[in-house]
Amino acid sequence: AQTVTQSQPEMSVQEAETVTLSCTYDTSESDYYLFWYKQPPSRQMILVIRQEAYKQQNATENRFSVNFQKAAKSFSLKISDSQLGDAAMYFCAYRTYSGNTGKLIFGQGTTLQVKP
Amino acid sequence: DTAVSQTPKYLVTQMGNDKSIKCEQNLGHDTMYWYKQDSKKFLKIMFSYNNKELIINETVPNRFSPKSPDKAHLNLHINSLELGDSAVYFCASSHLRDQPQHFGDGTRLSIL
């Protein structure tokens, strides 16, 4: 069974600085999707970025980018020019490419604090 | 327009009661999901329906019964509520063979 691990329960960053959140996963599959979701105090689940495992190029979305290391099964999220609105809990998630369920498997989450 | 909407947003009730949470999506997706987020913020899949057919039923007590009248709706009924059922329940939707999943705002269930 696939597992997702986020080893940093809490992180903090100074406003305008850069922070990296770590995520590792375990799978025997070769094709899958990886996601980062943001959950602010309002508790909404907001998709930040996604990566298809068959793509070698790291995904980027404005200030958010990932470092996808398939062999190492690592999927870290880099937030550049951190803003106060980035303060939230961040979840890494795995989804199989094949199969007929589509379920997401989540990590434990990392709470990000942004200091002014 | 809200893409995935859940009602109610908050639900406070007594132990032993029966309650339902409703979910509707207007994205035209064919698959809907229920996730549970516990007090430690851990998210876990509970159920999934694809075109009204149950495709995921993770190890969930049979007091929980999902119902999908059509592919735009997925409701969750919970019988004989227990203290351990206190959590935030999220509904989500997507195309089965496409992603990502879009989430509702969650329903916070508190059992007294």
Side-chain angles (χ1 to χ4, degrees), chain B residues 45-60:
Chain B
I45 185 76
M46 297 175 69
F47 300 104
S48 177
Y49 272 76
N50 172 249
N51 285 321
K52 301 195 297 177
E53 180 184 349
L54 182 67
I55 57 171
I56 297 175
N57 185 350
E58 296 284 304
T59 313
V60 178

Side-chain angles (χ1 to χ4, degrees), chain B residues 3 102-103:
Chain B
H102 297 258
F103 284 78

Side-chain angles (χ1 to χ4, degrees), chain A residues 48-49 59-66 77-79 86 90:
Chain A
V48 175
I49 199 164
T60 60
E61 285 287 342
N62 301 314
R63 297 182 296 107
F64 298 88
S65 61
V66 298
L77 175 70
K78 185 170 85 170
I79 306 174
D86 295 334
Y90 287 80

